[in-house]
Amino acid sequence: MEFYSLVLTLCVCVFDNLNFLANASPEVVMVNFPTYDGQCDHPFTAVNGGRCYFPSYDQLKTTWKEAQLICSWLHPKGQLAEFETLQEMVDATGFLINDTNTDGWGSVGPWIGAIEKGDSNTFMWHSSKAPIEVHNWAESRPYASTSGDGVALDASDNFQWIDLSSGTELPFFCEIPSNPRSVEAEKKTEDLEGMFRELEEALRKKDVGVEETLRKMQKDLDEAKKERDALKRQLG
C-alpha cells in the first residue's frame, strides 16, 4: 500500500508541474519526491525534494550574522538556506508560499544565506563563496546603498528576494542536509525515476506536446488511484 501511495503522490506532483517543466531549464528535475521517515533531524521540517528547513517565523528576529549563528546552534550542519540550483529555489519557495503555519513572518520575511561582496551590489552564497547564478529578485532589486547587505525573502511579495542592511533584525530560514533514505526507500525511488525519466526527457526536448503528455499523465494518475483503491479493499 505504501508503494502505491508513493506512486500516486508522485503522479500528482508531476501532473501539477507539467506546464512549468515544459518551459524550465534542462537542469530542473521536476520529479519531486515526497518526504520520507527520518528525512530531517529535529527541529527541522521535511520538505518535498529531500529538503530540511527551519523557519523561525516572526517568533524570533535577529541580524543576518546572528541568524547564521543560531542556525549552527540548532544543528552542527545548520546554516541560513542557500539555493544553488533552480530546483532548490522552487522547492523552498513552494514550501513557504503553501505553508499553513499561523505564526506568520511579520512585515518582511526571513534572511537566507546570501551576502553582498563589500559594496559591489554583487551577491554570493556565504558557505561556498559561490556567485549567485539562480535568483528571484523583486523588481528594482538589489539596490540597497549599504555595504555587505544580506538577502531576505519578502513574505508580502511571494517571497521574492530583497537586499537589506545585514544589521536589520528579521526572522530567518535555516537548512541542514537531509538524512539518507532507507535501502527500501531508495529502491522505490529508483523504480519511480525509471517510470518518469522518458517523460521528463521528452518534455525537455519538446518531442511531445504538452496536451498529449497531460492526457497520458491523467490516465496514469487514474490507474494509480484505481490500484490504490483496490489494494485498500483487499486489505479491508
Side-chain angles (χ1 to χ4, degrees):
M1 181 174 180
E2 180 185 354
F3 178 76
Y4 288 105
S5 177
L6 186 61
V7 171
L8 180 60
T9 303
L10 180 60
C11 287
V12 172
C13 288
V14 175
F15 186 77
D16 286 345
N17 288 289
L18 278 173
N19 287 328
F20 176 85
L21 176 59
N23 298 301
S25 162
E27 297 178 359
V28 182
V29 179
M30 288 310 299
V31 175
N32 196 356
F33 293 98
T35 59
Y36 52 90
D37 290 342
Q39 178 173 317
C40 303
D41 294 335
H42 182 77
F44 287 77
T45 299
V47 175
N48 285 357
R51 318 293 178 193
C52 297
Y53 295 124
F54 175 85
S56 77
Y57 302 107
D58 62 356
Q59 303 301 305
L60 182 58
K61 298 180 180 181
T62 188
T63 65
W64 187 93
K65 184 176 181 180
E66 290 175 346
Q68 281 283 19
L69 184 60
I70 293 173
C71 289
S72 70
W73 288 345
L74 290 171
H75 192 280
K77 296 182 179 180
Q79 62 180 23
L80 286 173
E82 301 184 0
F83 315 136
E84 294 192 340
T85 67
L86 179 56
Q87 182 67 69
E88 289 179 88
M89 187 169 67
V90 168
D91 292 341
T93 306
F95 164 69
L96 291 168
I97 289 175
N98 295 299
D99 185 19
T100 57
N101 190 288
T102 58
D103 289 331
W105 291 103
S107 58
V108 180
W111 288 123
I112 60 172
I115 191 76
E116 183 184 16
K117 297 179 181 179
D119 193 19
S120 63
N121 224 28
T122 300
F123 290 77
M124 65 181 180
W125 295 117
H126 177 260
S127 67
S128 64
K129 304 299 186 284
I132 292 177
E133 298 181 354
V134 178
H135 57 77
N136 187 28
W137 290 112
E139 187 176 356
S140 302
R141 296 283 188 161
Y143 71 70
S145 59
T146 49
S147 175
D149 296 323
V151 176
L153 307 179
D154 188 354
S156 67
D157 192 15
N158 290 320
F159 295 93
Q160 292 191 87
W161 296 16
I162 55 175
D163 54 322
L164 297 169
S165 168
S166 59
T168 307
E169 293 192 347
L170 296 177
F172 48 90
F173 193 51
C174 304
E175 69 174 357
I176 58 171
S178 59
N179 295 319
R181 295 173 182 267
S182 66
V183 174
E184 181 181 1
E186 285 290 352
K187 179 62 170 62
K188 290 177 181 178
T189 298
E190 291 173 3
D191 291 343
L192 292 170
E193 284 176 340
M195 290 169 57
F196 288 94
R197 190 172 293 115
E198 290 185 7
L199 173 61
E200 287 183 322
E201 291 303 316
L203 280 171
R204 287 171 179 164
K205 296 176 182 178
K206 300 191 177 178
D207 289 338
V208 296
V210 172
E211 291 185 4
E212 178 185 347
T213 305
L214 285 170
R215 286 195 296 270
K216 182 180 184 300
M217 287 304 303
Q218 183 62 63
K219 181 180 178 181
D220 291 344
L221 180 59
D222 291 341
E223 291 177 355
K225 287 180 179 178
K226 289 178 182 178
E227 291 182 5
R228 184 194 64 177
D229 293 341
L231 186 59
K232 281 184 177 179
R233 288 193 295 271
Q234 291 176 9
L235 295 175

